[in-house]
Amino acid sequence: MSERFLPRHTVRIWWADLDDADESLVSLLNPVESERLSRTGDPDNRRRFLLGCAISRVALGGYLGIAPAEVPLHRRCARCGGPHGKVGLGSAPTPPGSPGGDPGSVAPGQICLSVTHGGRRVGVAFHRGAAVGLDVEPFSTAWSVPLLARRVLTARERARLDALPAERRHTGFLRYWTRKEAVVKALGVGLFPGVSGLEVSGPEEGPAVLSWERHPEWAPRTRLTDLDVGGAGADGGGPAGEAGPGAGYLASVAVLAPTPHRVSARDAGAALRAWAAARPEAGATGC
């Protein structure tokens, strides 16, 4: 069954596997999402998008006490203004630059969310009262680290990465990447150019935002947590690995709030199966 309460100062992360996607979940999509799904040809990308939408609505339906299909979600691209990008709760986003348009400013009690996917894992993070950003990457990600490091790391970050033994640099870069993407996703500014001037702690140090030239006001107010097994705990909230995506992945979550928070996880696949089984139309085939 869906969870009914989201405590304050808590990040709840719902994780699913691509095998958790089921065609019955399509009924949860709104017309814009359904149209986007129909244009998605790659089967795995189709399942990733479907799961992100379904997890968001099933979880929020429980937190808000309404039917999942009635949960209003919006998306707005930070670059082009189109109906994609960071997802939010409500009928429409506040345009940037307008009064109250700071994406990092959240009304007390408002539930914020962030969707991520990497490899076979799909995750959605929820926080009440502060913007949240989540990123996950598989260890197997085949990237050109030297090329990407020049684009997304500061000079000091590159120096720290280069100082690592060669066999640890790929994982070290993925750690930098998940931390940085979690931060820019929380603010909703996009990786490029949002990552410009954003400096985080070294991959073998505790997670922290050190500075951010474009958004200096948020650097001291952003809390970072690494979620994979062996990561640092979240302000006394227990081992962060307990909220992680599972073996073979790195993940980080950022909260735009100076107050301590706890991080915990839920099995989204089980919640989606329970929702599907409770529908009158139960018995649909896999996606």
Side-chain angles (χ1 to χ4, degrees), residues 61-73:
Y63 296 145
L64 300 173
I66 62 177
E70 297 176 3
V71 173
L73 296 177

Side-chain angles (χ1 to χ4, degrees), residues 63-115:
Y63 296 145
L64 300 173
I66 62 177
E70 297 176 3
V71 173
L73 296 177
H74 67 258
R75 294 169 182 82
R76 187 194 62 80
C77 177
R79 289 179 293 181
C80 71
H84 52 270
K86 182 176 174 64
V87 62
L89 177 61
S91 57
T94 303
S98 62
D102 180 359
S105 297
V106 173
Q110 177 181 340
I111 297 178
C112 299
L113 64 154
S114 178
V115 180

Side-chain angles (χ1 to χ4, degrees), residues 61 170 260-261:
H170 180 79
H261 59 267

Side-chain angles (χ1 to χ4, degrees), residues 25-80:
L25 302 177
V26 174
S27 65
L28 290 172
L29 274 56
N30 65 28
V32 173
E33 294 162 345
S34 295
E35 196 275 334
R36 177 174 169 179
L37 185 70
S38 69
R39 291 188 286 103
T40 303
D42 181 80
D44 284 350
N45 285 338
R46 175 184 172 89
R47 290 193 287 177
R48 291 180 182 111
F49 180 71
L50 178 60
L51 282 169
C53 295
I55 296 169
S56 299
R57 286 205 164 85
V58 168
L60 287 169
Y63 296 145
L64 300 173
I66 62 177
E70 297 176 3
V71 173
L73 296 177
H74 67 258
R75 294 169 182 82
R76 187 194 62 80
C77 177
R79 289 179 293 181
C80 71

Side-chain angles (χ1 to χ4, degrees), residues 110-199:
Q110 177 181 340
I111 297 178
C112 299
L113 64 154
S114 178
V115 180
T116 189
H117 54 74
R120 297 190 57 82
R121 302 300 282 165
V122 177
V124 186
F126 301 90
H127 189 283
R128 185 184 296 276
V132 62
L134 176 67
D135 188 56
V136 63
E137 302 293 342
F139 281 117
S140 60
T141 300
W143 286 342
S144 172
V145 170
L147 176 63
L148 283 172
R150 289 195 294 271
R151 295 193 65 190
V152 303
L153 301 187
T154 67
R156 287 196 297 181
E157 289 170 336
R158 290 196 300 272
R160 293 191 188 101
L161 186 66
D162 291 342
L164 294 176
E167 66 272 14
R168 297 213 297 268
R169 287 176 195 159
H170 180 79
T171 300
F173 179 77
L174 288 179
R175 169 62 67 218
Y176 270 132
W177 182 280
T178 60
R179 289 176 179 175
K180 287 183 171 236
E181 183 147 0
V183 172
V184 298
K185 286 177 72 174
L187 199 58
V189 295
L191 188 61
F192 302 106
V195 75
S196 177
L198 170 61
E199 186 165 325

